[in-house]
Amino acid sequence: MFFERWYTHDGNPYAEKEKLDDKKVKALVSNFEQEIEKRGLLYHAVGHGWTSGPFGFNAAGWHEADDSAIPEDKRIFLAEIDGKRGFYKGVPLNTNLCYSNPEVRRIIADAIASYCDEHRNIDYLHFWLADSVNSFCECENCRHTRPSDHYVMMLNEIDEKLSKKNLDTKIVFLIYFDLMWAPEKERIKNPDRFTLMFAPITRYYSQRFKDEYNKPCTTEPFVRNKSQMPNAISKNLSFLKDWFEVAGAKDSFDFDYHLMWDHQRDVGYFDVARGLFEDMQTLPAMGLGGMVSCQLTRAAFPTNLPMQMMADALWDKDCDFEEKSDEYFLSAFGDDGLAVKEYLREISRLFDVNYTRWEKPCVSEENAHNYTMALGVINNFESVIERNLELLPAGNLRRSWEYLDEHSYIIRDVAKALRRRAEGADEEERQKLFEEVYDKVVQREPKLHRVFDVHQYKNVLRSCIVKF
């Protein structure tokens, strides 16, 4: 699906569509695998899809499917919810299964064992369940067992099959949505096989690990298909602590989403960059060995500061944010790099990411004033951008300034739209403003596509201006 969004330019009426088929996707992935091997990197593969692909259902993305076309001999494998078995909200990838059924577990374990045997270049195979919350089977045999207990049963069955094939592939298991609640009875038999992956997708990014990880907190009771997912980091971490007590896994990491959606709410990228930096510094204190960033690959507009700060803090937990960000801006923009740093720091402050997250009132005199101030800051910095574009020859430094110029063009309109939201514009007006801004953005995709995921920006921009 991610390849498809780019090559077909989904949602961009101005772009030329390209044909994409499975053969082309496989060729792209094969090329990636060769480059990974060339660099001696560890290859993590798969994730969602094991609950659909092995049963003959579409596992290539979050596509809807015809529920009436499910063969009856396959329907019995699907989770029973409200007395019915079918695709959860019409999407196979979001559909959990009847995990108390030994045949379901066997089919999944056999599929994973065969896949590992056929793809021995994979170092870490991810085994995740369906990508949905509160969607687990309610049949008589499932309802009395936590999803995480059934999950651990499958992990142990997978390990047995891999051991019989003499495969040393590591299996990554996912602490996510309903699986936040640790198993009550089942335990992992061979901890050396497994890596724990903590994925707090519902967390607040206005909170930082460093401020929350030591706060005492208790987990909410598990209620099948009625559980409330935690937003506060302290609550998320209380679930992680429970898993640490029962999992026995010797390896673990954070799987986090700073650069999937939230960075596009932070117009200057400063809040998200500092948040990433501080979260990475705190991982060892939380018992986590590293980070896999679930993010857009094109997340460098206006700068690549968040990625650089994430890398610096993962490499050296004692480094200083101001020093490292100075190094970045001077490298990316040259002599005026520190002026760019202060400009974008002020843009982040005035655009107020907590306002675009809807953590503040929609109508706000303070924020309306700030967006007016932001327009002045953008206009005043325009002369600095123009001077560098006149002086710099073609190359990387000039390209940084070109992107900054494009960025200033777009955020002027974003500031005006957000100011109207803060002044009290109704939803109909906000929708119209969003459409006008986004139409200008998609027209500029040919210039920006290497650093800016325009497709993903659509929903984020709408949620900032219209409604969360």
Side-chain angles (χ1 to χ4, degrees), residues 207-278:
Q207 297 179 350
R208 307 281 162 79
F209 286 150
K210 70 182 181 68
D211 301 318
E212 301 290 321
Y213 79 95
N214 266 334
K215 285 186 178 179
C217 191
T218 57
T219 59
E220 303 296 329
F222 175 75
V223 182
R224 183 175 295 269
N225 294 344
K226 294 181 180 179
S227 296
Q228 294 295 313
M229 296 301 111
N231 301 125
I233 285 178
S234 57
K235 286 188 175 290
N236 276 279
L237 293 179
S238 68
F239 287 100
L240 178 63
K241 291 171 185 175
D242 289 346
W243 266 100
F244 276 150
E245 289 181 9
V246 303
K250 299 176 183 179
D251 188 24
S252 63
F253 61 86
D254 183 28
F255 184 91
D256 226 321
Y257 307 81
H258 303 73
L259 301 179
M260 177 64 84
W261 306 282
D262 203 63
H263 67 294
Q264 293 183 334
R265 300 180 181 280
D266 178 21
V267 174
Y269 270 17
F270 241 83
D271 184 83
V272 68
R274 184 177 285 278
L276 253 173
F277 184 87
E278 293 177 353

Side-chain angles (χ1 to χ4, degrees), residues 3-254:
F3 292 109
E4 185 177 72
R5 285 176 179 172
W6 166 247
Y7 286 99
T8 65
H9 295 278
D10 182 34
N12 188 342
Y14 304 101
E16 183 179 345
K17 313 297 182 183
E18 297 181 50
K19 290 184 178 180
L20 185 72
D21 54 29
D22 287 346
K23 184 178 180 181
K24 184 170 184 177
V25 171
K26 287 178 180 178
L28 289 166
V29 172
S30 176
N31 183 58
F32 300 155
E33 291 175 341
Q34 292 173 37
E35 297 301 324
I36 288 168
E37 185 177 2
K38 185 189 298 182
R39 289 161 177 78
L41 298 172
L42 297 172
Y43 182 24
H44 289 243
V46 197
H48 295 300
W50 294 114
T51 59
S52 47
F55 299 86
F57 305 131
N58 188 348
W62 295 264
H63 303 282
E64 292 189 8
D66 182 4
D67 197 82
S68 65
I70 302 170
E72 289 307 310
D73 62 340
K74 300 286 180 65
R75 189 180 295 274
I76 60 170
F77 297 146
L78 306 182
E80 179 185 305
I81 300 175
D82 295 331
K84 297 179 181 178
R85 297 184 188 269
F87 293 137
Y88 184 70
K89 297 184 178 179
V91 180
L93 202 72
N94 289 347
T95 303
N96 275 299
L97 306 177
C98 185
Y99 298 120
S100 64
N101 185 334
E103 184 65 5
V104 166
R105 302 198 305 271
R106 182 195 66 77
I107 290 171
I108 291 173
D110 282 348
I112 289 175
S114 296
Y115 195 87
C116 290
D117 199 11
E118 294 166 7
H119 300 81
R120 295 191 175 221
N121 58 325
I122 293 173
D123 300 289
Y124 289 82
L125 187 87
H126 289 234
F127 168 44
W128 309 346
L129 300 186
D131 193 18
S132 58
V133 65
N134 288 325
S135 61
F136 281 86
C137 188
E138 299 168 346
C139 78
E140 181 61 32
N141 292 327
C142 284
R143 71 177 65 168
H144 304 295
T145 303
R146 277 190 184 179
S148 55
D149 281 279
H150 281 140
Y151 192 36
V152 171
M153 289 172 64
M154 287 187 280
L155 293 176
N156 287 330
E157 290 167 9
I158 292 164
D159 172 57
E160 290 177 9
K161 292 182 183 294
L162 294 180
S163 296
K164 287 180 180 178
K165 292 178 176 289
N166 293 316
L167 294 170
D168 59 2
T169 313
K170 296 288 186 181
I171 300 297
V172 178
F173 65 96
L174 172 62
I175 312 308
Y176 174 76
F177 281 161
D178 307 68
L179 294 174
M180 284 283 188
W181 281 265
E184 294 179 299
K185 299 177 182 178
E186 299 294 329
R187 296 294 181 265
I188 291 174
K189 295 176 182 178
N190 179 16
D192 290 335
R193 170 76 67 186
F194 298 100
T195 293
L196 182 154
M197 187 176 100
F198 174 57
I201 191 171
T202 57
R203 63 168 283 190
Y204 286 135
Y205 285 97
S206 51
Q207 297 179 350
R208 307 281 162 79
F209 286 150
K210 70 182 181 68
D211 301 318
E212 301 290 321
Y213 79 95
N214 266 334
K215 285 186 178 179
C217 191
T218 57
T219 59
E220 303 296 329
F222 175 75
V223 182
R224 183 175 295 269
N225 294 344
K226 294 181 180 179
S227 296
Q228 294 295 313
M229 296 301 111
N231 301 125
I233 285 178
S234 57
K235 286 188 175 290
N236 276 279
L237 293 179
S238 68
F239 287 100
L240 178 63
K241 291 171 185 175
D242 289 346
W243 266 100
F244 276 150
E245 289 181 9
V246 303
K250 299 176 183 179
D251 188 24
S252 63
F253 61 86
D254 183 28

